[in-house]
């Protein structure tokens, strides 16, 4: 049996990234290492983690493609649900996120908006899926 435990985002500043997610989305900090090179946020069963790019490079000697704010985002996203998509979208942008797509109502009734976080990672802010 395999369990999805966490997603790690490689960032230039772990503490700054965690603070952004705390303020923008109301997530709670689990911990940051004393070296400030790794940290986690509580987000339900699956943690959102951040690792300093230097730490990531030490784990992946072959390198990796770094996410950069303002460039085209990777083909993967973090999704956050909320009853107030517009408010969370606006709050994240005020804290330094880049707006990509303002809120739209999808044909199935879900409100969806997109931003890039302060590190360039793609985030979907959406309402819960309507009951089928």
């Amino acid at each position: 049996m395999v369990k999805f435990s966490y997603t790690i985002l490689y960032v230039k500043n772990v503490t700054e990234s965690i603070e952004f997610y705390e303020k923008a989305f109301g997530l709670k900090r689990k911990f940051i290492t004393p070296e400030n090179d790794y940290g986690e946020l509580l987000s339900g069963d699956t943690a959102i983690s951040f690792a300093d790019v230097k730490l990531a490079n030490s784990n992946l000697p072959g390198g990796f493609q770094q996410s950069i704010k303002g460039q085209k985002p990777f083909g993967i996203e973090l999704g956050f649900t909320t009853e107030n998509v517009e408010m969370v979208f606006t709050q994240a942008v005020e804290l330094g996120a880049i707006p990509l797509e303002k809120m739209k109502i999808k044909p199935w009734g879900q409100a969806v908006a997109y931003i890039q976080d302060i590190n360039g990672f793609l985030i979907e802010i959406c309402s819960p899926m309507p009951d089928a």
Side-chain angles (χ1 to χ4, degrees), residues 65 67-68 70-76 100 115-116 120-123:
Q65 184 161 343
S67 180
I68 299 172
Q71 291 189 2
K72 196 175 282 192
F74 297 138
I76 187 170
L100 297 179
I115 61 168
Q116 257 189 336
F121 292 102
L122 180 60
I123 297 178

Side-chain angles (χ1 to χ4, degrees), residues 4-11 13-14 17-18 21 27-28 30-32 37-43 46-52 55 78 80 117 119 121:
F4 182 47
S5 297
Y6 51 85
T7 297
I8 302 175
L9 305 177
Y10 298 155
V11 299
N13 188 315
V14 171
S17 299
I18 284 183
Y21 278 75
L27 299 175
K28 301 294 181 205
K30 184 174 179 182
F31 74 92
I32 298 176
D37 62 355
Y38 181 82
E40 293 184 0
L41 290 166
L42 299 170
S43 60
T46 305
I48 301 172
S49 306
F50 300 88
D52 186 277
L55 176 62
L78 297 179
F80 295 111
D117 77 359
N119 297 292
F121 292 102

Side-chain angles (χ1 to χ4, degrees), residues 4 6 12 27 34 51 55 59 63 69 82-83 95 97 100 104 114 123:
F4 182 47
Y6 51 85
K12 289 184 179 179
L27 299 175
L55 176 62
N59 293 332
K69 183 178 174 181
T82 179
E83 295 296 335
L95 291 165
L100 297 179
K104 295 178 184 166
Y114 293 92
I123 297 178

